[in-house]
Amino acid sequence: MDQRLPEHRVNIIDTPGHIDFTIEVQRSLRVLDGAVAIFCAVGGVEPQSETVWRQADEYGVPRVVFVNKMDRPGANFFRVLRQIEERLGARPVAVALPIGAEHGFKGIIDLVSMQAIEWDDSTLGMRFVTRAIPAELATEAELYRDKLIEGAVEGDEQLLAKFLDRGTLTAEEIRGGLRARCLKGEIVPTLCGSAFRNKGVQALLDAVVHYLPAPADRPAVRGVLADGSEGARAPSDKEPFAAFAFKIATDPVVGQLTFIRVYSGVLKAGDTVYNPAKQTTEIVTGLWQMHANERTPIKEVRAGDIAAIEGLPSVTTGDSLTAVEHAIAFERMEFPVPVIAAAIEPKTAADQARMDAALAALIREDPTFRVHTDSESGQTIISGMGELHLTIIVERLTREFGIDANVGKPQVAYREAIRKAVEQEGKFVRPGAPAGEATVVRLKLEPVEGSGVCRFASEGVGAVSGTFVAAVEHGVVEQAASGVIAGYPLVDVNVTLVAGACTDSEPSEITFRAAGATAFREGARKARPVLLEPLMTVTVVTPDTYLGAVTGDLARRRGVVESLDDSPAGKVVRAMVPLAEMFGYSTTVRSISQGRATHTMQFSRYAEVPANVSQFVIRDRAA
């Protein structure tokens, strides 16, 4: 470890690994400068790791890798290196090698300083010593040292020239070369250790400082200025204040806390901030430095800081916060659509109002959690990303808000779509209107597979004023939300207003809204409507003995096996399975494998429901 490093301040955000909480990963990647990807030395690169890695690629976040649990039976550092390269398409560059493995794991070889570092087991890794590299590992260390230098000098002609001239590089030159390439996303410095015993953690913290970017190393963040032009904020205290609200949390003492990443400028307690999305100004009543569930009051935050603000009740996840006279709106976040729903009601009528307030607080915290009231049954419906997501929500209602609730069986969030383009006229006659008076609207409906929404546009219909165009859109959107075959939202469609006329002596927004809804409903029924269901990517890791039972069970669930791979833990089965068939799967897969198989599941896409299944869904919905 480098004893000469000056003090550095590192903000750390830890995120859940389960796919149901993918929003926590997304919003963290949005505001972080760098990431530490932790892989198990036994399990290696698992399916969920692949998903998070792709998300980090999308946000352009530089990474270092820590291969953990080197002291576990089956640990293999070099196998994980190969998996990172093969499965993630990354280029791992080992900056440390393990000394031993499993029960014989003693320490690491620092390939930059070419020293062995060994820890004292009696102090749980708090004490360590540096010594010469063991003779039996010298050849391997030299081999990976050459790969390390190769990774550092590629693309840097000056550094390459120094190496060719001198035949070696200093530690500072190696780290500088690795850092430059890591910041560009070209390589991934990789270390190893055992976090449980504090072995390798010190070297990892040094690597964070050596290879990951400081706020000043990141490019300016671009956004939209108040006049609509494009602008940017450089990571400097001298720039106007600008920050991004990436998380909302409810504190039992201070109330709502807004977690922000400061991109530029300085903010002090008592300052006024402007929210471009809401077009409101609010006073910062308190600033907090967060340490897990503990908080420390602070007087100010500067560019690069992550902190929590007290007293911003109208702010939601994804809002920008700026200086009042220097407004800039950063790109908002897109949140995954919930795929599972369940009815919920408090056990006592007196708790209804408290439950409504609690659910509202949870919605502010979690953008992937939705709540609505079923128009037919009057039930409160909660929607989320999976069974575990809804289970945690219900547990939080009890633990944090003291509300006991009954939860119905989870329901699949189906969608509807159309399969052909049509033009349809809709007419509305106002009750009591004289003969011949009516409002008529003509719409064009076109399927757009995979859009996930119902988009509305108009072709400059001269006979329909702007106010009435908005009314037609309102009617279309309202009808789309109710669907046409089973009451599910109709998506993947573009709707265009192509004509409109009104002979009613008392035209109003209501008549145009009703005509628009009628045209959409009748047109969608003629456009070959179909039911869509969420498909899940299911990955099961099972011992070879139970492979047949696992694949057979997936087939019975309408699953399609897409790949079958080998891993140290057994066979890895990847399949595409409808969510409707996956309820209770955790219990089933444990039963058929005697508890030895594990699985992960994540949303993939919506697909058309087979006709023989669709009729049962429609019948159950109507019941």
Side-chain angles (χ1 to χ4, degrees):
M1 273 64 70
D2 194 337
Q3 304 292 342
R4 297 166 297 171
L5 278 176
E7 286 191 3
H8 288 75
R9 177 176 172 183
V10 179
N11 289 299
I12 299 175
I13 298 179
D14 185 25
T15 65
H18 198 281
I19 191 61
D20 283 10
F21 306 99
T22 184
I23 183 59
E24 299 296 340
V25 176
Q26 289 183 350
R27 58 184 171 192
S28 297
L29 290 173
R30 170 66 185 269
V31 300
L32 292 176
D33 296 316
V36 177
I38 301 176
F39 297 107
C40 174
V42 180
V45 178
E46 298 180 338
Q48 176 60 23
S49 303
E50 296 180 37
T51 301
V52 174
W53 194 272
R54 287 194 299 270
Q55 291 172 329
D57 285 339
E58 293 173 5
Y59 285 100
V61 178
R63 277 144 280 175
V64 299
V65 162
F66 184 72
V67 180
N68 193 25
K69 302 180 182 179
M70 282 300 304
D71 54 351
R72 277 189 56 189
N76 190 321
F77 174 73
F78 303 100
R79 181 180 62 233
V80 178
L81 285 181
R82 291 193 299 271
Q83 291 179 347
I84 293 172
E85 195 166 3
E86 295 168 359
R87 298 184 184 180
L88 305 179
R91 182 180 173 183
V93 174
V95 295
L97 296 181
I99 300 175
E102 302 181 345
H103 296 302
F105 177 64
K106 298 179 180 178
I108 63 172
I109 297 173
D110 184 340
L111 294 175
V112 177
S113 65
M114 288 301 281
Q115 289 181 313
I117 304 169
E118 296 185 3
W119 281 267
D120 182 358
D121 283 332
S122 64
T123 62
L124 277 180
M126 299 304 291
R127 294 179 183 173
F128 57 88
V129 295
T130 58
R131 60 186 68 204
I133 297 173
E136 66 273 16
L137 297 177
T139 301
E140 186 175 56
E142 288 292 344
L143 173 65
Y144 278 90
R145 163 83 171 190
D146 292 342
K147 293 181 179 181
L148 176 74
I149 294 178
E150 179 184 336
V153 302
E154 281 185 357
D156 189 328
E157 294 184 1
Q158 291 183 346
L159 200 59
L160 177 60
K162 286 182 180 180
F163 175 68
L164 294 177
D165 182 49
R166 302 198 307 253
T168 187
L169 293 173
T170 66
E172 288 73 18
E173 289 169 339
I174 293 174
R175 291 181 182 126
L178 293 175
R179 178 184 178 84
R181 299 200 66 203
C182 180
L183 297 191
K184 294 177 183 177
E186 297 173 349
I187 64 169
V188 184
T190 305
L191 301 92
C192 60
S194 171
F196 178 71
R197 301 184 184 280
N198 290 313
K199 294 182 178 181
V201 175
Q202 300 92 333
L204 174 62
L205 291 175
D206 286 351
V208 168
V209 175
H210 287 313
Y211 308 121
L212 292 182
D217 296 320
R218 302 292 281 164
V221 183
R222 310 199 70 80
V224 179
L225 301 176
D227 60 4
S229 62
E230 187 174 325
R233 290 289 183 268
S236 169
D237 294 347
K238 297 179 180 179
E239 290 265 318
F241 171 74
F244 184 80
F246 67 94
K247 181 180 176 67
I248 307 297
T250 302
D251 187 276
V253 178
V254 302
Q256 178 173 308
L257 288 175
T258 303
F259 287 75
I260 64 166
R261 160 63 193 264
V262 182
Y263 287 125
S264 63
V266 179
L267 178 70
K268 299 180 179 180
D271 286 354
T272 300
V273 294
Y274 177 67
N275 184 343
K278 308 291 193 305
Q279 296 186 348
T280 58
T281 58
E282 297 190 63
I283 297 176
V284 176
T285 57
L287 288 170
W288 302 91
Q289 184 68 52
M290 303 301 295
H291 303 274
N293 59 349
E294 298 179 0
R295 58 186 185 277
T296 303
I298 53 178
K299 295 181 179 179
E300 64 179 21
V301 288
R302 295 178 174 271
D305 283 341
I306 289 178
I309 300 180
E310 174 190 347
L312 305 180
S314 66
V315 175
T316 55
T317 299
D319 285 353
S320 301
L321 298 174
T322 71
V324 176
E325 297 182 358
H326 300 277
I328 184 171
F330 301 118
E331 182 181 359
R332 295 186 64 84
M333 297 179 65
E334 294 186 4
F335 305 118
V337 177
V339 296
I340 190 171
I344 185 172
E345 61 180 17
K347 291 186 177 180
T348 63
D351 279 343
Q352 183 65 55
R354 292 176 57 231
M355 188 183 78
D356 291 344
L359 291 175
L362 294 173
I363 290 173
R364 287 195 297 270
E365 294 184 20
D366 185 353
T368 61
F369 175 58
R370 313 282 172 82
V371 178
H372 73 277
T373 302
D374 188 282
S375 58
E376 296 181 0
S377 66
Q379 289 181 306
T380 299
I381 307 297
I382 57 175
S383 305
M385 302 305 298
E387 288 183 272
L388 179 61
H389 190 191
L390 296 188
T391 299
I392 295 298
I393 290 292
V394 174
E395 287 181 356
R396 289 191 62 190
L397 284 175
T398 302
R399 184 179 67 252
E400 298 178 21
F401 299 94
I403 299 170
D404 288 330
N406 295 317
V407 182
K409 181 182 177 181
Q411 302 292 322
V412 177
Y414 291 98
R415 296 287 185 268
E416 297 179 17
I418 59 173
R419 286 294 180 254
K420 73 174 185 178
V422 299
E423 279 199 24
Q424 178 65 41
E425 186 176 276
K427 179 185 292 186
F428 178 77
V429 178
R430 178 171 48 84
E437 290 191 1
T439 300
V440 180
V441 164
R442 175 169 286 274
L443 300 176
K444 178 168 64 177
L445 281 66
E446 300 171 292
V448 185
E449 191 168 349
S451 72
V453 295
C454 172
R455 292 193 177 94
F456 179 87
S458 65
E459 294 184 341
V461 186
V464 183
S465 69
T467 302
F468 293 149
V469 168
V472 173
E473 179 179 5
H474 189 181
V476 168
V477 172
E478 196 173 57
Q479 182 60 55
S482 302
V484 294
I485 55 176
Y488 295 104
L490 198 154
V491 297
D492 295 354
V493 59
N494 282 353
V495 182
T496 306
L497 173 61
V498 296
C502 183
T503 57
D504 197 318
S505 58
E506 300 178 16
S508 67
E509 293 183 23
I510 293 176
T511 62
F512 277 94
R513 185 171 70 184
T518 300
F520 181 86
R521 182 172 60 252
E522 295 179 359
R525 287 173 176 168
K526 296 177 181 178
R528 198 160 66 84
V530 297
L531 200 63
L532 305 179
E533 65 181 346
L535 292 185
M536 313 300 287
T537 300
V538 179
T539 304
V540 185
V541 181
T542 176
D544 292 6
T545 309
Y546 308 105
L547 178 61
V550 168
T551 55
D553 181 70
L554 291 173
R556 285 191 294 273
R557 297 173 184 268
R558 294 193 284 130
V560 177
V561 175
E562 297 190 325
S563 67
L564 189 63
D565 301 309
D566 292 314
S567 80
K571 295 291 185 180
V572 180
V573 183
R574 290 181 174 85
M576 200 69 68
V577 191
L579 174 62
E581 307 293 343
M582 289 302 294
F583 293 124
Y585 183 69
S586 296
T587 302
T588 300
V589 76
R590 282 197 299 267
S591 175
I592 62 179
S593 67
Q594 298 184 14
R596 297 178 63 190
T598 60
H599 83 286
T600 60
M601 180 174 69
Q602 66 186 83
F603 172 71
S604 174
R605 67 181 188 276
Y606 271 91
E608 186 173 334
V609 179
N612 63 320
V613 178
S614 178
Q615 59 181 337
F616 290 108
V617 175
I618 295 173
R619 184 194 63 190
D620 291 343
R621 180 73 168 177

